[in-house]
Amino acid sequence: MTSLASESYVFDPRPNFPLLLTAKRYWHPASPHLNDPSAFTLIFAHATGFHKEQYEPTIEDLYRLIPPGGPNIREAWSIDCPNHGDAAVLNEETLRWGYDEQFGWQEYARGIHAFLTGLGTGVDIDFTTRRLVLVGHSFSAVVQVFSLTFQPLLKPECLILLEIMCIRPSAVAPLMQVYTTVSDNRRDIWSSREEAYQEFKARAPWKRWDERVLRTYVEHGLRPLPTLEYPDKTGVTLKCIRRHESAVYRDTLASFFVYRLMNWLVKHIPTHFIYGAVDDLIPRDVKDEFLANQVGGEQNLSSLTRLPGAGHLLVQTHPEALAKTISERTETRPSSCRGRGRHGITKTVEDAEMPQRGKRAEEPPKGLVGEDGESTDTWRTTSSVTKTLKNKRNLAIGPGHYVLTPSGIE
């Protein structure tokens, strides 16, 4: 098979949005679909602490695994969060102006929205004419949903959300505290990329990653020293510095907003959930509560997949299995990437307009649970799972989950 071609871009949405975005386009030079308006354009967004190139093995496997008559892929794009990857290097000075303590997830969403609606310079492609499939992992699954709430409205064919970080509000604080503690204390300077690679290769969670993903992390997730953060150091360090990773974990507004929006969203936009079958970071009962109360049950999704052997970091550990699942979710038929919708009715984004922030939706979200664990007068509880969560003020991070150690999460 001919290797994929790629090209890097810098998107400048200033002055309307102060942060630059970096993106990478991937395509197969021999593909008959490069100018096919009916073919899909995939838009990938990464998890906290990672970067756009983490999807390269998944994208490579996706193109390799497409069967005859399978999904028509025009091209794929992956976009860095503004304080991650190459974007973090370009925005290094600007990020010191108010983004250190907390980095709102909506900033990534605003950037993606500006990128896809052409509200800036540097990328001469009209994505509004494309059949978009939005793919997000962990916090960026929330981000991809949030990007749909800005004007002008994006109208994707479907959403593919990987281990979405949408969890009950009372369960967020203890979980985010773990992430913040780990990122604040992780090692972030090595003498060379080779030293970093050897350390990662020998320790969890990196030692469980696909080798190709680990190599891209070392190549694209690190940068040479000195930097603005470490002006007197030598060697290599993280492009997404520790303070900026922690700043992402401190924001909960976007997650809460999308948590409440999801019940409406899945009835109007075809939505696929992909979880790891190993519930190592988000406990299974937390996922089940979200599915029952905010999604309204699995029947409201276009599909729900649990990848065998994979956990929260399924992009890093199982890129081939993930690619195969994405291929199966983006079919060739004219109704491709359409969800079965509620009661088996196919829904498309054109069927309804997105309810705007600050305005009342057509109906209140069903099943939202109050902070005391009980249903409010306006919302109803649809699952007894909430009774379990009511007594779990502090989430256990122990056997079966990641363990917090002085050297990081294992």
Side-chain angles (χ1 to χ4, degrees):
M1 174 182 172
T2 305
S3 298
L4 292 182
S6 66
E7 186 174 3
S8 297
Y9 292 79
V10 176
F11 180 75
D12 188 350
R14 298 174 297 182
N16 297 314
F17 181 65
L19 299 169
L20 298 170
L21 275 82
T22 48
K24 207 163 185 178
R25 174 191 173 223
Y26 303 89
W27 71 97
H28 196 301
S31 171
H33 304 297
L34 293 178
N35 296 304
D36 180 359
S38 68
F40 293 121
T41 296
L42 276 59
I43 307 295
F44 290 89
H46 61 78
T48 309
F50 296 103
H51 51 87
K52 62 186 179 298
E53 290 85 3
Q54 286 282 277
Y55 280 110
E56 286 184 356
T58 297
I59 295 170
E60 290 168 357
D61 288 342
L62 176 61
Y63 273 94
R64 178 175 56 83
L65 293 170
I66 293 175
N72 296 336
I73 306 298
R74 185 169 184 170
E75 59 192 21
W77 290 75
S78 192
I79 304 172
D80 279 321
C81 182
N83 65 349
H84 286 60
D86 293 332
V89 178
L90 295 181
N91 293 317
E92 191 171 23
E93 180 62 46
T94 306
L95 287 168
R96 293 196 162 200
W97 290 82
Y99 295 101
D100 278 343
E101 185 62 28
Q102 180 173 298
F103 186 90
W105 299 8
Q106 68 269 20
E107 301 299 329
Y108 196 5
R110 286 179 63 197
I112 290 174
H113 176 268
F115 183 91
L116 295 178
T117 54
L119 300 177
T121 60
V123 179
D124 190 21
I125 293 176
D126 184 1
F127 288 101
T128 64
T129 65
R130 299 292 187 93
R131 300 186 68 200
L132 299 178
V133 175
L134 305 185
V135 184
H137 178 207
S138 191
F139 103 106
S140 74
V142 173
V143 164
Q144 291 282 35
V145 174
F146 206 107
S147 72
L148 304 180
T149 68
F150 297 103
Q151 294 284 353
L153 290 176
L154 295 171
K155 296 185 177 182
E157 296 290 322
C158 69
L159 300 169
I160 300 179
L161 306 179
L162 320 174
E163 283 276 323
I164 185 169
M165 190 58 73
C166 255
I167 58 182
R168 184 171 178 262
S170 64
V172 169
L175 206 55
M176 291 304 177
Q177 182 57 51
V178 171
Y179 303 160
T180 303
T181 301
V182 171
S183 61
D184 282 344
N185 293 282
R186 67 182 300 188
R187 181 181 179 183
D188 65 343
I189 294 178
W190 298 267
S191 63
S192 65
R193 280 186 167 84
E194 181 59 27
E195 185 203 5
Y197 170 75
Q198 293 300 333
E199 177 179 307
F200 296 151
K201 186 71 174 173
R203 297 177 63 181
W206 304 281
K207 68 181 181 181
R208 294 190 284 268
W209 292 8
D210 182 278
E211 174 68 13
R212 298 168 298 164
V213 177
L214 182 57
R215 289 288 186 181
T216 66
Y217 185 72
V218 172
E219 180 181 354
H220 297 286
L222 306 179
R223 61 180 296 196
L225 289 163
T227 64
L228 194 61
E229 183 76 0
Y230 294 119
D232 58 346
K233 303 292 186 180
T234 59
V236 296
T237 189
L238 300 167
K239 286 181 178 176
C240 177
I241 63 176
R242 294 183 300 187
R243 286 186 294 109
H244 290 164
E245 181 176 348
S246 295
V248 173
Y249 294 136
R250 290 192 187 100
D251 178 58
T252 56
L253 178 61
S255 178
F256 292 168
F257 173 74
V258 171
Y259 180 90
R260 297 182 64 183
L261 177 66
M262 190 59 66
N263 187 272
W264 184 95
L265 179 91
V266 296
K267 298 172 187 174
H268 296 89
I269 299 177
T271 302
H272 303 269
F273 276 14
I274 302 177
Y275 284 122
V278 180
D279 302 303
D280 53 1
L281 197 61
I282 306 175
R284 179 60 179 265
D285 53 2
V286 174
K287 293 178 181 177
D288 287 347
E289 185 279 332
F290 173 61
L291 285 168
N293 290 313
Q294 298 314 121
V295 174
E298 182 181 343
Q299 72 276 4
N300 281 337
L301 294 172
S302 295
S303 71
L304 188 152
T305 304
R306 301 184 191 275
L307 289 187
H312 187 70
L313 298 183
L314 68 178
V315 174
Q316 285 68 39
T317 61
H318 290 71
E320 183 173 356
L322 176 59
K324 184 175 186 297
T325 305
I326 291 174
S327 173
E328 292 169 351
R329 301 297 172 263
T330 51
E331 303 167 354
T332 306
R333 301 190 301 271
S335 60
S336 57
C337 210
R338 297 285 195 258
R340 59 178 176 261
R342 205 175 187 192
H343 309 302
I345 301 172
T346 296
K347 298 282 188 180
T348 69
V349 110
E350 291 80 11
D351 291 334
E353 293 298 310
M354 176 71 67
Q356 298 302 297
R357 295 186 302 280
K359 295 183 179 180
R360 193 174 185 86
E362 295 174 3
E363 60 181 36
K366 305 297 185 191
L368 189 65
V369 181
E371 284 301 309
D372 60 355
E374 301 296 335
S375 299
T376 66
D377 291 338
T378 306
W379 301 309
R380 60 182 175 83
T381 302
T382 59
S383 170
S384 60
V385 173
T386 55
K387 294 180 181 178
T388 303
L389 284 174
K390 183 178 180 181
N391 298 318
K392 290 194 174 183
R393 293 300 183 186
N394 296 306
L395 294 178
I397 306 296
H401 304 291
Y402 284 126
V403 180
L404 178 61
T405 70
S407 60
I409 292 180
E410 297 186 357

